[in-house]
Amino acid sequence: MPTAARTPQPFMTGPIVVAGIQDAFRKLYPRVQVRNPVMFVVYVGSILTTAVGIAAVTGFGDDAGHPGFVLAIAAWLWLTVLFANFAEGVAEGRGKAQAAALRSTRRQVVAKRLRAPDRAGGYEKVGAETLRIDDLVLVEARDTIPADGEAVDGVASVDESAVTGESAPVLREAGGDFTSVTGGTRVLSDWLVVRVTSNPGDSFIDRMIALVEGAKRGRTPNEIALSILLAMLTLVFLLATATLAPFSAFAVTAAGAGATVPIVVLVALLVCLIPTTIGGLLSAIGIAGMDRMVRANVIATSGRAIEAAGDVDVLLLDKTGTITLGDRQATTFHPAPGVTEQELADAAQLASLSDETPEGRSIVVLAKQKFQLRGRDLAGLPHTFYKFSAQSRMSGVDLEGRRLRKGAADAIRQFVESVGAAWPAAVTSTVHDIARQGATPLAVADGARVLGVVELRDIVKGGIRERFAELRQMGIKTVMVTGDNRLTAAAIAAEAGVDDFLAEATPEAKLKLIRQYQADGHLVAMCGDGTNDAPALAQADVAVAMNSGTQAAKEAGNMVDLDSNPTKLIEVVDVGKQMLVTRGALTTFSIANDVAKYFAIIPAAFAATYPALDALNLMRLASPQSAILSAVIFNALIIVVLVPLALKGVRTRAASAPILLRRNLLVYGLGGMVVPFVGIKLIDVVLNALRLA
């Protein structure tokens, strides 16, 4: 996304407020209002009181003597509807601003579509809008990538600032885990052959625009469940209020005093008792949750994924790049008995020539630094490279009768034993010693001969232990996933403070672990970037795919991290949990509000018939009309007051669910009862001071 969209911005800027006000009036259309049952009741009540007010002005109806009071009630009911629409409009406004910024990145692009799979077959220039899935296009230096796709040939430096906001170029190449390219980004150097993976209108940027605008947000299961609950509460209060009309007529007849409760008062009572506060803010909370995720540079496929993130109680975290700095470097050569250090370094360097991982490159560099061993030109010699893979966990080369291998100790041991050789006990001891220190041992062998061990070291990130402690307090279990052996994994796990770890992790082992946790009733989150991560990502409840990863990983996940930062998984969980806490807190506050409104309106409505009910007038409001109008005004204004909280979210704390629940009830439950008493009384004082009631 454009850099401007990434810069922290106030939640309500001038343009967003103006757009929110405009949307507030646009959303008055009945077809829009009916989507929210709670606010639709207020909407119908506004129409009804307006009609009664017009009749009172013309001298008709029971309220002919109080037209000003009736119209004031009608005006504030309309404002209640408009304030709810405004809250949703402001939330949507931020998304629309981001969508506009994304649209500005799209331009007419001419694509070089290849006539044949081979680059040498030439190309034809076509409009990017004509490209379809599986088309092959050539993208050269200074060209804009015309569509989403995967690099199938070549390597190039790509400027992705239009999507990620980061100005530093990234490397994209065929055949690895960094093959995915995004339409609208630009090649800075070299070239790529890209296989198109999306049709026009289905590109990554198109999906981003639809999501941030809210067009595909969709309501989450919890949001739907809460909407049903609010609708049922509204129905209960509607039936209860409806019964008050015949009860009032009966009471007047039986007591021989007072007057029947006017329909305007009944409408005011209904609107004040139904959960209008959360009803007006519910949609805004969901949209704001999506917005907070986008501002974190994470694109979720739906609000459902964000909500699931809030319920996650198991985090699967890769060691490298997440728990550690991710830059393991070869530091020491440990030769086996009878082997010189230089001999080990020479073999390790040859076995690492085909290993494009940072670890493999660091071995080549260390051999060069310690023994001036330069990179070899093997072009004139018969040789066969064996590239490193997650399955084999080793790399190597067959050269001049030698079978050089370098990799995880257990993998190399299997290789040595497969040719009928014994594994030296001294090497086992070296491996264990290195692993106990939290470093990574890589064994090196020349066929049946074990040459020694290369020590790699990584550094645990600062503050990560404290962060895991906070997650533990929140009831979230952290599991470190690594390809290292168990001893190394145990040492780093202890240093980082994770709850558990999975060592020597293969794609199959990750998938099995996720299924095991899910079978025990847990919700699991993980991140990944490679094709081999796709099965586990598809199985996880919350799956964050790296934008730099393969297309298979991005399709398997339900979120994409534009920054390609594995640590972002923790932030994703924070955003999801904040959305759930915010919704729960404001629901508690809204329902608690009814207590004060009950003590304001019920005495005002029935005190003339039953004078004893005046004892319930705890706030000592000036008059029945002032009491009713004050309650209606407070009911409208509190929505506006809570809009910033709904957009920013309630601050979450590192605590267990019972503690959070107690805090929620104390702050927003008790606060929800106290605040209306104070607010309604202040409004009553103001109204009477100004002689408006």
Side-chain angles (χ1 to χ4, degrees), residues 615-647:
L616 296 177
N617 184 12
L618 302 181
M619 291 173 277
R620 311 319 301 172
L621 302 175
S623 68
Q625 289 186 343
S626 177
I628 295 168
L629 186 57
S630 297
V632 172
I633 293 174
F634 176 85
N635 193 64
L637 293 180
I638 196 64
I639 295 176
V640 179
V641 172
L642 293 176
V643 167
L645 185 61
L647 297 181

PDB file of all heavy atoms in Angstrom, residues 615-647:
ATOM      1  N   ALA A 615     -40.950   7.972  44.115  1.00  0.00           N
ATOM      2  CA  ALA A 615     -39.809   7.519  44.924  1.00  0.00           C
ATOM      3  C   ALA A 615     -38.693   6.935  44.061  1.00  0.00           C
ATOM      4  O   ALA A 615     -37.530   6.887  44.469  1.00  0.00           O
ATOM      5  CB  ALA A 615     -40.273   6.483  45.945  1.00  0.00           C
ATOM      6  N   LEU A 616     -39.062   6.484  42.860  1.00  0.00           N
ATOM      7  CA  LEU A 616     -38.057   5.942  41.934  1.00  0.00           C
ATOM      8  C   LEU A 616     -37.300   7.036  41.189  1.00  0.00           C
ATOM      9  O   LEU A 616     -36.315   6.744  40.499  1.00  0.00           O
ATOM     10  CB  LEU A 616     -38.710   5.003  40.915  1.00  0.00           C
ATOM     11  CG  LEU A 616     -39.353   3.735  41.474  1.00  0.00           C
ATOM     12  CD1 LEU A 616     -40.011   2.948  40.348  1.00  0.00           C
ATOM     13  CD2 LEU A 616     -38.316   2.872  42.186  1.00  0.00           C
ATOM     14  N   ASN A 617     -37.751   8.267  41.343  1.00  0.00           N
ATOM     15  CA  ASN A 617     -37.076   9.392  40.684  1.00  0.00           C
ATOM     16  C   ASN A 617     -35.804   9.739  41.469  1.00  0.00           C
ATOM     17  O   ASN A 617     -35.711  10.797  42.107  1.00  0.00           O
ATOM     18  CB  ASN A 617     -38.020  10.593  40.584  1.00  0.00           C
ATOM     19  CG  ASN A 617     -37.411  11.760  39.809  1.00  0.00           C
ATOM     20  OD1 ASN A 617     -36.369  11.621  39.145  1.00  0.00           O
ATOM     21  ND2 ASN A 617     -38.039  12.918  39.899  1.00  0.00           N
ATOM     22  N   LEU A 618     -34.840   8.847  41.442  1.00  0.00           N
ATOM     23  CA  LEU A 618     -33.628   8.991  42.243  1.00  0.00           C
ATOM     24  C   LEU A 618     -32.817  10.214  41.851  1.00  0.00           C
ATOM     25  O   LEU A 618     -32.113  10.787  42.677  1.00  0.00           O
ATOM     26  CB  LEU A 618     -32.756   7.725  42.103  1.00  0.00           C
ATOM     27  CG  LEU A 618     -33.415   6.397  42.507  1.00  0.00           C
ATOM     28  CD1 LEU A 618     -32.434   5.249  42.327  1.00  0.00           C
ATOM     29  CD2 LEU A 618     -33.932   6.453  43.926  1.00  0.00           C
ATOM     30  N   MET A 619     -32.897  10.596  40.577  1.00  0.00           N
ATOM     31  CA  MET A 619     -32.114  11.737  40.112  1.00  0.00           C
ATOM     32  C   MET A 619     -32.806  13.062  40.404  1.00  0.00           C
ATOM     33  O   MET A 619     -32.219  14.123  40.161  1.00  0.00           O
ATOM     34  CB  MET A 619     -31.838  11.599  38.602  1.00  0.00           C
ATOM     35  CG  MET A 619     -30.889  10.471  38.243  1.00  0.00           C
ATOM     36  SD  MET A 619     -30.734  10.183  36.448  1.00  0.00           S
ATOM     37  CE  MET A 619     -32.164   9.148  36.174  1.00  0.00           C
ATOM     38  N   ARG A 620     -34.028  13.007  40.937  1.00  0.00           N
ATOM     39  CA  ARG A 620     -34.816  14.212  41.232  1.00  0.00           C
ATOM     40  C   ARG A 620     -34.867  15.120  40.015  1.00  0.00           C
ATOM     41  O   ARG A 620     -34.540  16.306  40.057  1.00  0.00           O
ATOM     42  CB  ARG A 620     -34.261  14.971  42.438  1.00  0.00           C
ATOM     43  CG  ARG A 620     -33.973  14.144  43.695  1.00  0.00           C
ATOM     44  CD  ARG A 620     -35.026  13.103  44.004  1.00  0.00           C
ATOM     45  NE  ARG A 620     -36.357  13.665  44.205  1.00  0.00           N
ATOM     46  CZ  ARG A 620     -37.475  12.931  44.340  1.00  0.00           C
ATOM     47  NH1 ARG A 620     -37.443  11.610  44.212  1.00  0.00           N
ATOM     48  NH2 ARG A 620     -38.629  13.521  44.535  1.00  0.00           N
ATOM     49  N   LEU A 621     -35.290  14.564  38.894  1.00  0.00           N
ATOM     50  CA  LEU A 621     -35.410  15.329  37.659  1.00  0.00           C
ATOM     51  C   LEU A 621     -36.559  16.318  37.777  1.00  0.00           C
ATOM     52  O   LEU A 621     -37.555  16.072  38.458  1.00  0.00           O
ATOM     53  CB  LEU A 621     -35.611  14.383  36.472  1.00  0.00           C
ATOM     54  CG  LEU A 621     -34.479  13.343  36.301  1.00  0.00           C
ATOM     55  CD1 LEU A 621     -34.811  12.378  35.180  1.00  0.00           C
ATOM     56  CD2 LEU A 621     -33.140  14.016  36.046  1.00  0.00           C
ATOM     57  N   ALA A 622     -36.435  17.428  37.098  1.00  0.00           N
ATOM     58  CA  ALA A 622     -37.309  18.582  37.317  1.00  0.00           C
ATOM     59  C   ALA A 622     -38.767  18.296  36.996  1.00  0.00           C
ATOM     60  O   ALA A 622     -39.678  18.718  37.726  1.00  0.00           O
ATOM     61  CB  ALA A 622     -36.808  19.784  36.515  1.00  0.00           C
ATOM     62  N   SER A 623     -39.026  17.621  35.900  1.00  0.00           N
ATOM     63  CA  SER A 623     -40.397  17.377  35.464  1.00  0.00           C
ATOM     64  C   SER A 623     -40.441  16.125  34.619  1.00  0.00           C
ATOM     65  O   SER A 623     -39.407  15.675  34.114  1.00  0.00           O
ATOM     66  CB  SER A 623     -40.924  18.571  34.655  1.00  0.00           C
ATOM     67  OG  SER A 623     -40.227  18.678  33.420  1.00  0.00           O
ATOM     68  N   PRO A 624     -41.630  15.533  34.442  1.00  0.00           N
ATOM     69  CA  PRO A 624     -41.723  14.344  33.587  1.00  0.00           C
ATOM     70  C   PRO A 624     -41.219  14.594  32.167  1.00  0.00           C
ATOM     71  O   PRO A 624     -40.513  13.759  31.598  1.00  0.00           O
ATOM     72  CB  PRO A 624     -43.219  14.019  33.605  1.00  0.00           C
ATOM     73  CG  PRO A 624     -43.712  14.565  34.903  1.00  0.00           C
ATOM     74  CD  PRO A 624     -42.920  15.809  35.133  1.00  0.00           C
ATOM     75  N   GLN A 625     -41.578  15.737  31.590  1.00  0.00           N
ATOM     76  CA  GLN A 625     -41.124  16.033  30.233  1.00  0.00           C
ATOM     77  C   GLN A 625     -39.605  16.182  30.179  1.00  0.00           C
ATOM     78  O   GLN A 625     -38.943  15.675  29.262  1.00  0.00           O
ATOM     79  CB  GLN A 625     -41.807  17.294  29.716  1.00  0.00           C
ATOM     80  CG  GLN A 625     -43.294  17.121  29.409  1.00  0.00           C
ATOM     81  CD  GLN A 625     -43.891  18.347  28.768  1.00  0.00           C
ATOM     82  OE1 GLN A 625     -43.317  19.438  28.809  1.00  0.00           O
ATOM     83  NE2 GLN A 625     -45.073  18.208  28.179  1.00  0.00           N
ATOM     84  N   SER A 626     -39.048  16.859  31.164  1.00  0.00           N
ATOM     85  CA  SER A 626     -37.592  17.025  31.215  1.00  0.00           C
ATOM     86  C   SER A 626     -36.900  15.684  31.394  1.00  0.00           C
ATOM     87  O   SER A 626     -35.852  15.431  30.782  1.00  0.00           O
ATOM     88  CB  SER A 626     -37.217  17.970  32.359  1.00  0.00           C
ATOM     89  OG  SER A 626     -35.807  18.091  32.465  1.00  0.00           O
ATOM     90  N   ALA A 627     -37.472  14.803  32.201  1.00  0.00           N
ATOM     91  CA  ALA A 627     -36.879  13.479  32.439  1.00  0.00           C
ATOM     92  C   ALA A 627     -36.826  12.662  31.153  1.00  0.00           C
ATOM     93  O   ALA A 627     -35.802  12.065  30.815  1.00  0.00           O
ATOM     94  CB  ALA A 627     -37.682  12.741  33.512  1.00  0.00           C
ATOM     95  N   ILE A 628     -37.956  12.640  30.427  1.00  0.00           N
ATOM     96  CA  ILE A 628     -38.030  11.857  29.193  1.00  0.00           C
ATOM     97  C   ILE A 628     -37.093  12.426  28.138  1.00  0.00           C
ATOM     98  O   ILE A 628     -36.331  11.694  27.491  1.00  0.00           O
ATOM     99  CB  ILE A 628     -39.485  11.810  28.687  1.00  0.00           C
ATOM    100  CG1 ILE A 628     -40.363  11.048  29.695  1.00  0.00           C
ATOM    101  CG2 ILE A 628     -39.550  11.174  27.313  1.00  0.00           C
ATOM    102  CD1 ILE A 628     -41.837  11.198  29.437  1.00  0.00           C
ATOM    103  N   LEU A 629     -37.118  13.739  27.966  1.00  0.00           N
ATOM    104  CA  LEU A 629     -36.278  14.376  26.956  1.00  0.00           C
ATOM    105  C   LEU A 629     -34.794  14.222  27.307  1.00  0.00           C
ATOM    106  O   LEU A 629     -33.968  13.965  26.412  1.00  0.00           O
ATOM    107  CB  LEU A 629     -36.647  15.858  26.824  1.00  0.00           C
ATOM    108  CG  LEU A 629     -35.953  16.643  25.698  1.00  0.00           C
ATOM    109  CD1 LEU A 629     -36.233  15.980  24.340  1.00  0.00           C
ATOM    110  CD2 LEU A 629     -36.433  18.094  25.669  1.00  0.00           C
ATOM    111  N   SER A 630     -34.434  14.315  28.578  1.00  0.00           N
ATOM    112  CA  SER A 630     -33.037  14.156  28.999  1.00  0.00           C
ATOM    113  C   SER A 630     -32.536  12.752  28.697  1.00  0.00           C
ATOM    114  O   SER A 630     -31.401  12.560  28.241  1.00  0.00           O
ATOM    115  CB  SER A 630     -32.898  14.454  30.493  1.00  0.00           C
ATOM    116  OG  SER A 630     -33.239  15.790  30.794  1.00  0.00           O
ATOM    117  N   ALA A 631     -33.393  11.752  28.955  1.00  0.00           N
ATOM    118  CA  ALA A 631     -33.005  10.362  28.678  1.00  0.00           C
ATOM    119  C   ALA A 631     -32.802  10.135  27.187  1.00  0.00           C
ATOM    120  O   ALA A 631     -31.844   9.470  26.772  1.00  0.00           O
ATOM    121  CB  ALA A 631     -34.069   9.410  29.225  1.00  0.00           C
ATOM    122  N   VAL A 632     -33.670  10.697  26.361  1.00  0.00           N
ATOM    123  CA  VAL A 632     -33.553  10.539  24.909  1.00  0.00           C
ATOM    124  C   VAL A 632     -32.290  11.240  24.388  1.00  0.00           C
ATOM    125  O   VAL A 632     -31.573  10.704  23.534  1.00  0.00           O
ATOM    126  CB  VAL A 632     -34.815  11.075  24.203  1.00  0.00           C
ATOM    127  CG1 VAL A 632     -34.614  11.103  22.682  1.00  0.00           C
ATOM    128  CG2 VAL A 632     -36.029  10.230  24.550  1.00  0.00           C
ATOM    129  N   ILE A 633     -32.016  12.438  24.905  1.00  0.00           N
ATOM    130  CA  ILE A 633     -30.825  13.179  24.474  1.00  0.00           C
ATOM    131  C   ILE A 633     -29.559  12.415  24.858  1.00  0.00           C
ATOM    132  O   ILE A 633     -28.632  12.282  24.058  1.00  0.00           O
ATOM    133  CB  ILE A 633     -30.823  14.596  25.082  1.00  0.00           C
ATOM    134  CG1 ILE A 633     -31.965  15.431  24.495  1.00  0.00           C
ATOM    135  CG2 ILE A 633     -29.493  15.289  24.828  1.00  0.00           C
ATOM    136  CD1 ILE A 633     -32.126  16.798  25.138  1.00  0.00           C
ATOM    137  N   PHE A 634     -29.513  11.927  26.113  1.00  0.00           N
ATOM    138  CA  PHE A 634     -28.346  11.143  26.525  1.00  0.00           C
ATOM    139  C   PHE A 634     -28.175   9.911  25.650  1.00  0.00           C
ATOM    140  O   PHE A 634     -27.049   9.560  25.257  1.00  0.00           O
ATOM    141  CB  PHE A 634     -28.482  10.722  27.991  1.00  0.00           C
ATOM    142  CG  PHE A 634     -27.368   9.824  28.458  1.00  0.00           C
ATOM    143  CD1 PHE A 634     -26.174  10.361  28.911  1.00  0.00           C
ATOM    144  CD2 PHE A 634     -27.504   8.438  28.417  1.00  0.00           C
ATOM    145  CE1 PHE A 634     -25.137   9.535  29.314  1.00  0.00           C
ATOM    146  CE2 PHE A 634     -26.474   7.604  28.818  1.00  0.00           C
ATOM    147  CZ  PHE A 634     -25.297   8.154  29.272  1.00  0.00           C
ATOM    148  N   ASN A 635     -29.271   9.249  25.341  1.00  0.00           N
ATOM    149  CA  ASN A 635     -29.235   8.033  24.528  1.00  0.00           C
ATOM    150  C   ASN A 635     -28.628   8.303  23.147  1.00  0.00           C
ATOM    151  O   ASN A 635     -27.941   7.450  22.584  1.00  0.00           O
ATOM    152  CB  ASN A 635     -30.654   7.481  24.374  1.00  0.00           C
ATOM    153  CG  ASN A 635     -30.677   6.069  23.829  1.00  0.00           C
ATOM    154  OD1 ASN A 635     -30.194   5.135  24.441  1.00  0.00           O
ATOM    155  ND2 ASN A 635     -31.265   5.917  22.642  1.00  0.00           N
ATOM    156  N   ALA A 636     -28.857   9.498  22.616  1.00  0.00           N
ATOM    157  CA  ALA A 636     -28.303   9.865  21.314  1.00  0.00           C
ATOM    158  C   ALA A 636     -26.842  10.276  21.430  1.00  0.00           C
ATOM    159  O   ALA A 636     -25.985   9.835  20.651  1.00  0.00           O
ATOM    160  CB  ALA A 636     -29.125  10.992  20.690  1.00  0.00           C
ATOM    161  N   LEU A 637     -26.540  11.132  22.416  1.00  0.00           N
ATOM    162  CA  LEU A 637     -25.193  11.695  22.529  1.00  0.00           C
ATOM    163  C   LEU A 637     -24.144  10.647  22.894  1.00  0.00           C
ATOM    164  O   LEU A 637     -22.994  10.754  22.482  1.00  0.00           O
ATOM    165  CB  LEU A 637     -25.172  12.819  23.560  1.00  0.00           C
ATOM    166  CG  LEU A 637     -25.949  14.095  23.210  1.00  0.00           C
ATOM    167  CD1 LEU A 637     -25.833  15.112  24.341  1.00  0.00           C
ATOM    168  CD2 LEU A 637     -25.435  14.697  21.903  1.00  0.00           C
ATOM    169  N   ILE A 638     -24.534   9.630  23.668  1.00  0.00           N
ATOM    170  CA  ILE A 638     -23.557   8.640  24.105  1.00  0.00           C
ATOM    171  C   ILE A 638     -22.979   7.866  22.917  1.00  0.00           C
ATOM    172  O   ILE A 638     -21.825   7.398  22.961  1.00  0.00           O
ATOM    173  CB  ILE A 638     -24.186   7.673  25.146  1.00  0.00           C
ATOM    174  CG1 ILE A 638     -23.091   6.909  25.895  1.00  0.00           C
ATOM    175  CG2 ILE A 638     -25.160   6.712  24.478  1.00  0.00           C
ATOM    176  CD1 ILE A 638     -22.195   7.775  26.735  1.00  0.00           C
ATOM    177  N   ILE A 639     -23.750   7.737  21.828  1.00  0.00           N
ATOM    178  CA  ILE A 639     -23.235   7.070  20.631  1.00  0.00           C
ATOM    179  C   ILE A 639     -22.071   7.856  20.054  1.00  0.00           C
ATOM    180  O   ILE A 639     -21.016   7.302  19.732  1.00  0.00           O
ATOM    181  CB  ILE A 639     -24.346   6.895  19.580  1.00  0.00           C
ATOM    182  CG1 ILE A 639     -25.432   5.957  20.105  1.00  0.00           C
ATOM    183  CG2 ILE A 639     -23.779   6.368  18.257  1.00  0.00           C
ATOM    184  CD1 ILE A 639     -26.616   5.796  19.173  1.00  0.00           C
ATOM    185  N   VAL A 640     -22.242   9.184  19.958  1.00  0.00           N
ATOM    186  CA  VAL A 640     -21.180  10.038  19.427  1.00  0.00           C
ATOM    187  C   VAL A 640     -19.948   9.993  20.323  1.00  0.00           C
ATOM    188  O   VAL A 640     -18.806   9.919  19.852  1.00  0.00           O
ATOM    189  CB  VAL A 640     -21.664  11.484  19.268  1.00  0.00           C
ATOM    190  CG1 VAL A 640     -20.551  12.378  18.731  1.00  0.00           C
ATOM    191  CG2 VAL A 640     -22.856  11.548  18.325  1.00  0.00           C
ATOM    192  N   VAL A 641     -20.177  10.018  21.626  1.00  0.00           N
ATOM    193  CA  VAL A 641     -19.067  10.007  22.586  1.00  0.00           C
ATOM    194  C   VAL A 641     -18.236   8.724  22.458  1.00  0.00           C
ATOM    195  O   VAL A 641     -17.006   8.755  22.605  1.00  0.00           O
ATOM    196  CB  VAL A 641     -19.604  10.170  24.022  1.00  0.00           C
ATOM    197  CG1 VAL A 641     -18.496   9.961  25.045  1.00  0.00           C
ATOM    198  CG2 VAL A 641     -20.246  11.537  24.210  1.00  0.00           C
ATOM    199  N   LEU A 642     -18.902   7.611  22.158  1.00  0.00           N
ATOM    200  CA  LEU A 642     -18.219   6.327  22.112  1.00  0.00           C
ATOM    201  C   LEU A 642     -17.643   5.984  20.740  1.00  0.00           C
ATOM    202  O   LEU A 642     -16.968   4.955  20.607  1.00  0.00           O
ATOM    203  CB  LEU A 642     -19.170   5.208  22.550  1.00  0.00           C
ATOM    204  CG  LEU A 642     -19.594   5.240  24.027  1.00  0.00           C
ATOM    205  CD1 LEU A 642     -20.606   4.142  24.307  1.00  0.00           C
ATOM    206  CD2 LEU A 642     -18.386   5.069  24.939  1.00  0.00           C
ATOM    207  N   VAL A 643     -17.906   6.808  19.720  1.00  0.00           N
ATOM    208  CA  VAL A 643     -17.367   6.534  18.387  1.00  0.00           C
ATOM    209  C   VAL A 643     -15.835   6.408  18.399  1.00  0.00           C
ATOM    210  O   VAL A 643     -15.283   5.444  17.848  1.00  0.00           O
ATOM    211  CB  VAL A 643     -17.828   7.603  17.366  1.00  0.00           C
ATOM    212  CG1 VAL A 643     -17.007   7.506  16.075  1.00  0.00           C
ATOM    213  CG2 VAL A 643     -19.298   7.422  17.035  1.00  0.00           C
ATOM    214  N   PRO A 644     -15.077   7.338  19.006  1.00  0.00           N
ATOM    215  CA  PRO A 644     -13.613   7.177  19.028  1.00  0.00           C
ATOM    216  C   PRO A 644     -13.167   5.881  19.690  1.00  0.00           C
ATOM    217  O   PRO A 644     -12.220   5.236  19.227  1.00  0.00           O
ATOM    218  CB  PRO A 644     -13.134   8.407  19.821  1.00  0.00           C
ATOM    219  CG  PRO A 644     -14.214   9.413  19.658  1.00  0.00           C
ATOM    220  CD  PRO A 644     -15.480   8.627  19.625  1.00  0.00           C
ATOM    221  N   LEU A 645     -13.843   5.469  20.770  1.00  0.00           N
ATOM    222  CA  LEU A 645     -13.491   4.225  21.447  1.00  0.00           C
ATOM    223  C   LEU A 645     -13.771   3.022  20.551  1.00  0.00           C
ATOM    224  O   LEU A 645     -12.983   2.067  20.514  1.00  0.00           O
ATOM    225  CB  LEU A 645     -14.264   4.099  22.760  1.00  0.00           C
ATOM    226  CG  LEU A 645     -13.913   2.893  23.652  1.00  0.00           C
ATOM    227  CD1 LEU A 645     -12.455   2.948  24.081  1.00  0.00           C
ATOM    228  CD2 LEU A 645     -14.825   2.848  24.875  1.00  0.00           C
ATOM    229  N   ALA A 646     -14.898   3.059  19.829  1.00  0.00           N
ATOM    230  CA  ALA A 646     -15.228   1.964  18.915  1.00  0.00           C
ATOM    231  C   ALA A 646     -14.201   1.846  17.798  1.00  0.00           C
ATOM    232  O   ALA A 646     -13.864   0.737  17.363  1.00  0.00           O
ATOM    233  CB  ALA A 646     -16.629   2.169  18.328  1.00  0.00           C
ATOM    234  N   LEU A 647     -13.690   2.981  17.316  1.00  0.00           N
ATOM    235  CA  LEU A 647     -12.724   2.968  16.221  1.00  0.00           C
ATOM    236  C   LEU A 647     -11.324   2.594  16.691  1.00  0.00           C
ATOM    237  O   LEU A 647     -10.621   1.834  16.034  1.00  0.00           O
ATOM    238  CB  LEU A 647     -12.698   4.340  15.538  1.00  0.00           C
ATOM    239  CG  LEU A 647     -13.996   4.795  14.861  1.00  0.00           C
ATOM    240  CD1 LEU A 647     -13.805   6.152  14.207  1.00  0.00           C
ATOM    241  CD2 LEU A 647     -14.467   3.780  13.827  1.00  0.00           C
TER     242      LEU A 647
END
